[in-house]
Amino acid sequence: MFGKLDWSAIPLSQPLPLITSFVLILIVIGLLILITVKKWWPYLWHEWITSVDHKRIGVMYCLLGVLMLIRGFADAIMMRTQQAAAINAAGYLTPEHYNQIFTAHGTIMILFGAMPLVLGFMNYLVPLQLGVRDVAFPTFNSVGFWLTASGALLVNVSLFIGEFARTGWLPYPPLSETAYTPGVGVDYYLWAVQISGIGTLITGINIVTTILKMRCPGMSYLRMPVFCWTALASCLLIVATFPILTAALAMLTLDRYVDWNYFTNTAGGNPMMFVNLVWAWGHPEVYILVLPAFGIFSEIFSTFSGKPLFGYRSMVAATLFICIVSMLVWLHHFFTMGAGAAVNTFFGISSSIIAVGTGVKIYNWIFTMYGGRVRFEVPMLWSLGFIFTFIIGGLTGVLLAVPPADFLTHNSMFLVAHFHNVIVGGVVFAVFAGLEYWFPKVFGFELHRAWGKAAFWFAFVGFWVTFAPLYVLGLLGMTRRLQHINIPEWGPWLYVSVAGVGILILGVISQVMQLVVSIRDRHKLRDVTGDPWDGRSLEWATPSPPPFFNFAVMPNVEGEEAYWGIKLRAVETQQLAPEPRYEPIEMPLHSGVGFFTAFFTSVFGFAMVWHIWWLASLALVLAIAGFVVFAWRDKHEFEVPVEEVARVDRARRLAREAALARLSEQGALP
Amino acid sequence: MSTSESDSRLPGDVMDEMEDHAPGDEPPEEGSHWVRNANYGLGFSILLTVSAFLLAGSNIIYEPAIPVALIVLAIAQMGVHLVFFLHITTGPDNTNNVLALAFGVLVVFVVVIGSVWIMSHLHENMSPMEQLMEMQP
Amino acid sequence: MSFRGLPASLEAIRRVREDPHRLGHRAHAPGEPIEGAGHGTTGPASKRILVGYGFWIFLLSDIVIFSCFFAAFAVQKHATAGGPTMSDLVEIDRLAWQTAALLLSSYMCMLGFAATQVRNRLWTQVFLAITGLLGLAFLLLEIQEFVDLAERGFTPQRSGMLTAFFGLVGLHGLHVAVGGLWLATMMAQVQVKGFRREIVHRLICFNLFWHALDIVWIGIFTIVYLIPSRP
């Protein structure tokens, strides 16, 4: 009746997951009670859960990402402290538990932390920067988000019902085959990642279509902000390579569930094919993460240098170059698997060549600053920290790209240090830079500067203190994923690394403090005009937060840096452009299809993990039925009356006129 | 906010000559245009498919060249489908479609050829098969 | 919080005006509209275009999944583990019937779309129905093939080659089955709602899907059946 599920699935004998689950469940129940008591359900349901507004969905993606980053960070704390404690000792985590922790750490950080954050940024910003009202398929967007959340839910459920995979974040066979992992851990992983993979693919298709087919009048390709170009490249990679992951995991699922022979050790299976396919996805995946990060930095560098981005065309070319070449390097993740000199050489060369694209970008950012008036606001600090950190991380990457060197450093702590160097230095720093930069736009008030600077410095110093020792350890011969250390010489380095983790914790606390203080002081910190940083792209033309229809009238773009030209003209003529002719606007209706589909899909995933076939079939049918029911609706748009449009826009114009008036009073206008 | 405002295109079936077209899609014309395409497509497809089947079962051409010929015929058949059924053309209204298709073909090529190349080379540094068989218990 | 918006830009105007070294700007004169379709300068495309193009992108992602299964087949083609080889599996007659059924169904689908373009409900339904029946014939033949193979002991659990074979061909069959269910839903929607905008958009998507399946089948019958059929 319940498949493999019985009471032994609850980890009563393991205090850590048990206590964590207990606390988490209490928090969730507490939240639900709070929402009910305060009668927030109608608001939450109408405005967030069933919203198809790209801005709301973007915020929810980022919220999911931040929460999962915290969980991933908790896993990291456990790993570093276990290694420091287990030098010729047992430590406090059993090998079985430790293996689940490093698997969960990688899976969560990449797929449920970084990916949702990057998707969230792209969802929020792309329509605003293109001067349009939403993405191409708003309702689908909601489905995509909720499926991603569904995957995250499954991963977290594994904490208190059953166990997670112990294979590392990429479940290599034959370890991940039924013969060697008969438990449910790998199954949780497979369904969680597959389900959220569908969500990611939906966003990829959405953004590609939006960027290629939905731009405001006058915005040709070469007038788009660079963030949109990087979003395009990233989403093209999503569309091109996520199917590879889907296929590889589907094959592993078939092997596990119906005894097929894709990757088995016997009967003609080939475990190395999994490694090949999964890295054909895995390498583009890191570029999917880092390209929008580069886009965020491009926006920040130009805004806080007070100059247009240097070398726009070469930036675009470098982005597309990286997009294509990133699909030609994947073997560098398994040089040691034995494909021989010819194959290794090809991929070694391609892996070195791809550094050129990033190099071009870094020079462009530096030249953007040159000759400009640099303002050291918090987003700019993160960007400068990124330049320093990422260059070093990239250099160690090029070192690893040389096959003979890689034979010594593959799967050592050197590798661990390298990829954290580029992912933290690249993606995480970009996320925090972007959160600081766009927070006023999204929520209507600015963030407290001093706490933001503290958070940056703790993070920057903490990162280097944590990970620099790992480079040394790698060269001293320490391999990754060790639960037990029996070489005392490694001890001092591990202790320094734990100290670094402590500094990072201070950074997290500072970040939380910044949020708390800013929310407390939000009326003092209110962003009145919508343009607190003197921005250059179209999202800064809207009020903060933007109205749900983004633009009362779609802008007509006449050059690069669409908003900058509008602003200059207003300042020179000392007045805004004449009031446009307002028209009613058609916007999509909210819809529960995303939530319902994801709900039944979560049940489906859970049932499949535990082999509860009747429940899985039922849930699948209901998920599809929900879709068909939704497709049957007659009304899917509503009209915003022209009075409403005019009212919102006139308020915006008033705020801008007031700002202009203030400037002329200060004698600042020419 | 802007010197000359404009608003979104009103949704509807109104299609501009200057607009892009999705694959297999065009302004509503008389049905005969579509039927003609379909007939040409079917005709060419039948020709190519029958040739492939006949070729596979015969010895008309040089033996090792038959797989190559079959692949060429397959590519031709796919081309017929793309042009006549999916209406992929080289016009400016189809540029995005052609580019997307080219990108897709590139990915397929890289994945299939790359995988085959890598996986077949994994025998590189292994003992030859005969030695392995001799080592079996 | 002091207002620190526009003043910096005024500084920029006073000192810099445009980028003084002309480093970041394009050669196009501002205000010069770029003519021609495909540059997107005429504003967002219509919903019809968006839906069609979005589905086209989705189809390309689907083709990539198939390419992985093709790659697996190419790698495991000879991993027979002492079991049957491909030439033991191939039956040209059934293959020919399957190919004919799918090709004709693609043709009928086209004719159905022609009927949709002239908004003829009867003929749209007729051709859609024929498309569905031909697709069903294809599926029944495939199921018959799988059952025959199973009876001879040629199951996916037997060897890597059989796994890869059943995986690739089965994935295609699964797509055809899902397409059939979609087709039935579309016919119901056309019947109840007529040729409303969204219905026509979904028919465009269905057409793309069905033709793409035939394209994949061309790859399958050539690479999986015809080429390995020669010993």
Short mmCIF file of all heavy atoms in Angstrom, two decimals, chain B residues 41 53 55 65 109:
data_model
loop_
_atom_site.label_atom_id
_atom_site.label_comp_id
_atom_site.label_asym_id
_atom_site.label_seq_id
_atom_site.Cartn_x
_atom_site.Cartn_y
_atom_site.Cartn_z
N GLY B 41 5.86 17.86 -50.60
CA GLY B 41 6.56 17.22 -49.49
C GLY B 41 6.35 15.73 -49.47
O GLY B 41 7.29 14.94 -49.34
N PHE B 53 14.90 2.38 -48.41
CA PHE B 53 14.57 0.99 -48.11
C PHE B 53 15.14 0.05 -49.16
O PHE B 53 15.69 -1.01 -48.85
CB PHE B 53 13.05 0.82 -48.00
CG PHE B 53 12.51 1.07 -46.63
CD1 PHE B 53 12.24 2.36 -46.19
CD2 PHE B 53 12.28 0.02 -45.75
CE1 PHE B 53 11.76 2.59 -44.92
CE2 PHE B 53 11.79 0.24 -44.47
CZ PHE B 53 11.53 1.53 -44.06
N LEU B 55 17.68 0.58 -51.15
CA LEU B 55 19.13 0.57 -51.08
C LEU B 55 19.63 -0.32 -49.95
O LEU B 55 20.60 -1.05 -50.09
CB LEU B 55 19.64 2.01 -50.87
CG LEU B 55 21.16 2.18 -50.84
CD1 LEU B 55 21.75 1.78 -52.17
CD2 LEU B 55 21.51 3.64 -50.53
N ALA B 65 29.90 1.97 -48.90
CA ALA B 65 29.31 3.29 -49.11
C ALA B 65 27.84 3.31 -48.78
O ALA B 65 27.23 4.38 -48.71
CB ALA B 65 29.53 3.75 -50.55
N PHE B 109 25.07 17.58 -33.06
CA PHE B 109 26.34 17.14 -33.63
C PHE B 109 27.39 16.97 -32.55
O PHE B 109 28.04 15.92 -32.44
CB PHE B 109 26.78 18.19 -34.66
CG PHE B 109 27.92 17.79 -35.50
CD1 PHE B 109 27.75 16.91 -36.56
CD2 PHE B 109 29.21 18.26 -35.25
CE1 PHE B 109 28.82 16.52 -37.35
CE2 PHE B 109 30.27 17.87 -36.03
CZ PHE B 109 30.08 17.00 -37.09
#
